[in-house]
Amino acid sequence: MITPLGLTPGLTRELDALNDGQRAAALHAGNLVVLAGPGSGKTRTLVAKAAYLLETQIPPRRGLAAITYTRHAAQEISRRLDRLGVRTGRRLTANTLHSWCLNAILRPYGPLVGIPAPGPGSVIDDRSDEWVALLQECLDGAGVGATARYERHAIVRIRRRLAAGVPEDTRDPVVAAAILFDQRLTQRGQFDFDLMIARSLQLLRGSDRATRLVAARYPWLLVDEYQDLGPVLHTLVGHLHDTAGVSVAAFGDPDQTIMGFTGADPAYLLELADREDFDHSPLVINYRCGKAIIAASHATVDGHRAHQPDPRRTDPGVIEPIAVAGGLADHARLVLSKIDELAAEDVPFHHIAIFYPRKGQLLNELVKALDSSIFEYIHEGDQRLPDGDLADFVRDCAARAVGGPQPVGYTDVDHASAIPTIHDLANDYRSLIDASGIGRPGGHVVERMLSRSLQAVEPDHDLRTWLGQLIEHMDLDAVARTSPQLRDRAAIGALHDAASRHELTVGDIAGALRTGKVTLTTYHAAKGREWDFILMPGLVDGIMPFRKWSQRHGRHMETPSDQFEQDRRAFYVGLTRAKQAAVLIYGEHWETGWGAENRYGVSPFVKAVLAKMGST
């Protein structure tokens, strides 16, 4: 393959290192859908494409928007481009959809059409008490006799469809409650992430000028995990492409659509792939999983999949199914036994992950067992600490301080766990500044501020003292005060409160510092990541897939088809995180928190894998 001339050396080497399919996608000149199977190098290909477009296709005063599902994925794109030696400056915007809508559409163009942009503290989180209370108020006002926390996902799906222009029956009280919710948010001068995106689409549809200005600034959109971003993103992308000629490269995998409960649908990605003005490029070589793990994952999906293992790999990987006669406490004990077995084989703890589908008795038993063991672990659902961009930045700073002054992460930890460098943290801080709408410090001021703030500390260093110094040196009070997100405004106080109440150390919050610790996380949070060994307990019908309790019938009901599909895809995602081995811990029954035994049999997903293994 002849690499184009005039590229930075890092990009030249990267293009040469890609396989044929990856390279073809990176160099493709037009609209493209990249159907990327598990472990196929999707992010690597996306980054190479972004670098190539910035260096060869996009004019110097224009830019590229890389839209991602999570902030961490956006950070990863920026960091990888930096490591390739591609100097993007302000030409690259890598951000979540709601952040891009805020900074690229609402703030600059909202005043043109009379749509206000969110002010400080006006964005509320859909997990906050305030959001849930407002939803309950709207449900009650519409005559829906339901509790907000049980209707949250239904309301989100309806709001997203309405924003995308999908007709809904307004006589339905739940639809009426969704409409009322948007009205009440607007009356209060508040937004949530969905309303920011909906208003951005409304703005573009109502203003040809704003559409042209956005298209001029961003002639290219690269969208990661397209299948999980839902109908509003799909409609917004179609509008910019069809009315203003914005070029689009969408990356995703229909089999890994795990956000269906919020309105995500693989049909949106497939619809884009079927358009005559889009080409599509499959990435089928799985560099993560061996042949046995790939075959097991295929047992859980309908139809043929062309995924193949790395041809250079000689071992097939391991699927280890283990039947448990007892209940969920026995599943948890078996997890500890398996970790002990792996430790005896000198497997580092940070190469091991335990997956659970959702909160409930399985998680309770796992936490209880791990807390009573000698094993150090990180529970990514730890609710002692606040959520949000600012809280995550503080946690990353803690990891850098505990990790020491060297600007490198641990080389044997996957990219989602690596410690950010000072340069990485400086870019993250600038993103916080941009979101807050206050001026950026020039030059390398931020790097110098961080270098002074992040002197090496021991993991057992008192968090309150360290936190006070970080807040002062980085002026985080000002960042919090001007942030549009209410959770960021509350983050500093919540961190101080958690530090005092739980007597936390710096090491306790160093979320990126995972070396020597087992990871306990959800199937959903595991997406885009990998571990050598994954442990999947609780594979019992009723837990995975989930069965909802019916008071009327006095039992857990059969899993509805949409919930079944959602959990099937989550299981597929979980299974394909394993580099060396996946341990499937299954049984015939499980217990509720009050001891009631539920016998619905082995998870149908495990049955499919066992049947596949028996036929090979």
Side-chain angles (χ1 to χ4, degrees):
M1 184 268 172
I2 299 175
T3 302
L5 299 176
L7 305 179
T8 59
L11 178 55
T12 299
R13 289 191 296 270
E14 180 68 356
L15 289 171
D16 287 343
L18 298 179
N19 67 38
D20 291 345
Q22 293 169 334
R23 190 182 306 108
L27 300 180
H28 190 275
N31 301 300
L32 183 67
V33 171
V34 180
L35 299 173
S40 61
K42 170 177 66 68
T43 302
R44 185 180 191 182
T45 305
L46 187 154
V47 169
K49 185 168 190 65
Y52 180 73
L53 288 171
L54 287 168
E55 292 206 352
T56 67
Q57 304 295 309
I58 299 175
R61 295 185 179 276
R62 300 290 183 262
L64 175 152
I67 298 171
T68 65
Y69 189 77
T70 67
R71 186 176 67 88
H72 295 292
Q75 289 173 331
E76 183 64 18
I77 291 170
S78 296
R79 291 170 184 176
R80 290 197 189 195
L81 283 167
D82 190 60
R83 288 164 195 156
L84 289 178
V86 178
R87 297 293 172 253
T88 60
R90 290 181 176 251
R91 297 178 65 216
L92 170 75
T93 297
N95 227 321
T96 57
L97 176 58
H98 65 265
S99 292
W100 184 71
C101 285
L102 171 62
N103 294 313
I105 302 174
L106 282 179
R107 275 184 173 155
Y109 307 120
L112 293 177
V113 294
I115 295 179
S122 64
V123 180
I124 59 175
D125 188 297
D126 65 0
R127 287 174 292 180
S128 68
D129 292 341
E130 185 175 358
W131 192 96
V132 173
L134 178 59
L135 177 56
Q136 188 64 62
E137 176 187 315
C138 295
L139 290 169
D140 294 343
V144 181
T147 304
R149 66 190 183 99
Y150 294 127
E151 295 296 328
R152 182 166 69 93
H153 291 147
I155 292 292
V156 168
R157 288 194 298 271
I158 292 168
R159 292 176 66 209
R160 290 180 177 182
R161 288 199 296 266
L162 287 169
V166 179
E168 294 282 349
D169 184 359
T170 56
R171 296 170 298 179
D172 183 336
V174 180
V175 174
I179 295 170
L180 183 60
F181 186 85
D182 279 351
Q183 291 172 347
R184 293 280 172 86
L185 270 180
T186 302
Q187 290 166 3
R188 292 179 172 200
Q190 291 181 317
F191 291 78
D192 63 0
F193 293 160
D194 280 315
L195 190 58
M196 280 199 291
I197 299 166
R199 289 288 181 263
S200 297
L201 176 58
Q202 176 190 348
L203 188 159
L204 293 179
R205 281 175 153 176
S207 172
D208 290 340
R209 182 185 177 197
T211 297
R212 291 194 304 272
L213 289 169
V214 171
R217 177 72 181 87
Y218 299 104
W220 268 93
L221 296 180
L222 268 58
V223 186
D224 190 21
E225 304 292 4
Y226 194 97
Q227 76 283 350
D228 270 329
L229 285 166
V232 188
L233 177 279
H234 184 60
T235 307
L236 191 151
V237 166
H239 175 79
L240 286 171
H241 173 70
D242 295 340
T243 65
V246 171
S247 298
V248 178
F251 291 70
D253 180 6
D255 289 328
Q256 297 187 69
T257 307
I258 60 172
M259 302 304 294
F261 55 87
T262 65
D265 192 323
Y268 299 126
L269 179 64
L270 296 174
E271 179 184 315
L272 208 61
D274 285 342
R275 288 183 54 146
E276 291 185 358
D277 53 346
F278 276 74
D279 290 326
H280 70 272
S281 176
L283 301 182
V284 297
I285 299 178
N286 186 330
Y287 292 97
R288 177 188 303 136
C289 307
K291 182 178 180 180
I293 298 172
I294 294 173
S297 73
H298 288 175
T300 67
V301 298
D302 295 327
H304 172 72
R305 299 295 184 276
H307 307 143
Q308 307 164 19
D310 183 348
R312 298 165 299 181
R313 181 167 178 167
T314 56
D315 71 286
V318 174
I319 294 289
E320 183 180 0
I322 305 176
V324 176
L328 297 179
D330 294 296
H331 285 242
R333 283 190 284 271
L334 185 55
V335 165
L336 296 187
S337 176
K338 196 65 191 178
I339 295 172
D340 194 48
E341 178 185 319
L342 292 171
E345 299 173 1
D346 294 325
V347 174
F349 287 146
H350 55 268
H351 288 186
I352 305 169
I354 308 162
F355 297 163
Y356 64 93
R358 56 188 62 82
K359 294 178 184 177
Q361 196 59 25
L362 173 62
L363 175 60
N364 295 343
E365 295 293 350
L366 289 169
V367 170
K368 187 190 306 181
L370 287 163
D371 283 345
S372 65
S373 75
I374 62 171
F375 306 126
E376 288 194 73
Y377 75 102
I378 287 181
H379 179 201
E380 294 186 337
D382 188 346
Q383 294 184 326
R384 295 178 300 175
L385 299 172
D387 290 324
D389 297 349
L390 182 53
D392 286 347
F393 174 75
V394 172
R395 296 180 74 166
D396 284 347
C397 286
R400 179 71 273 152
V402 172
Q406 294 300 316
V408 294
Y410 289 88
T411 56
D412 63 342
V413 181
D414 69 276
H415 70 266
S417 318
I419 301 174
T421 66
I422 293 292
H423 181 69
D424 294 335
L425 290 170
N427 286 333
D428 296 345
Y429 183 81
R430 293 185 182 101
S431 295
L432 287 171
I433 292 291
D434 289 344
S436 295
I438 55 181
R440 279 189 180 193
H444 296 284
V445 171
V446 176
E447 283 82 357
R448 289 195 292 271
M449 291 165 62
L450 284 163
S451 296
R452 288 196 303 270
S453 303
L454 301 182
Q455 299 299 312
V457 299
E458 294 298 321
D460 59 359
H461 190 85
D462 178 67
L463 177 59
R464 288 168 294 186
T465 303
W466 178 85
L467 185 59
Q469 294 169 346
L470 180 71
I471 291 168
E472 180 182 353
H473 293 159
M474 300 304 300
D475 200 13
L476 295 184
D477 278 329
V479 175
R481 189 169 56 251
T482 54
S483 172
Q485 294 192 37
L486 190 61
R487 65 183 182 181
D488 280 352
R489 286 172 67 89
I492 299 300
L495 285 166
H496 273 301
D497 183 56
S500 299
R501 184 186 309 126
H502 303 292
E503 298 182 348
L504 298 178
T505 67
V506 180
D508 287 332
I509 74 162
L513 188 63
R514 301 170 185 268
T515 298
K517 298 177 182 179
V518 175
T519 298
L520 174 63
T521 193
T522 63
Y523 288 85
H524 289 78
K527 192 157 184 284
R529 301 161 67 182
E530 59 187 31
W531 291 265
D532 284 352
F533 299 88
I534 61 165
L535 311 179
M536 301 168 66
L539 297 176
V540 188
D541 194 343
I543 300 292
M544 193 66 175
F546 176 70
R547 285 175 178 252
K548 187 176 181 180
W549 173 258
S550 169
Q551 192 72 36
R552 177 185 173 189
H553 295 89
R555 62 185 175 88
H556 293 85
M557 302 302 290
E558 192 79 21
T559 307
S561 59
D562 57 346
Q563 178 70 57
F564 187 91
E565 282 300 299
Q566 179 68 26
D567 283 351
R568 180 186 64 78
R569 293 188 187 114
F571 179 83
Y572 174 85
V573 166
L575 196 58
T576 54
R577 302 310 95 191
K579 295 167 68 177
Q580 294 189 31
V583 180
L584 311 183
I585 303 172
Y586 66 95
E588 295 278 350
H589 73 277
W590 54 280
E591 317 87 358
T592 61
W594 53 91
E597 189 175 285
N598 303 283
R599 288 190 172 272
Y600 301 111
V602 175
S603 166
F605 311 137
V606 173
K607 288 181 179 179
V609 171
L610 293 176
K612 179 72 174 181
M613 294 175 69
S615 67
T616 56

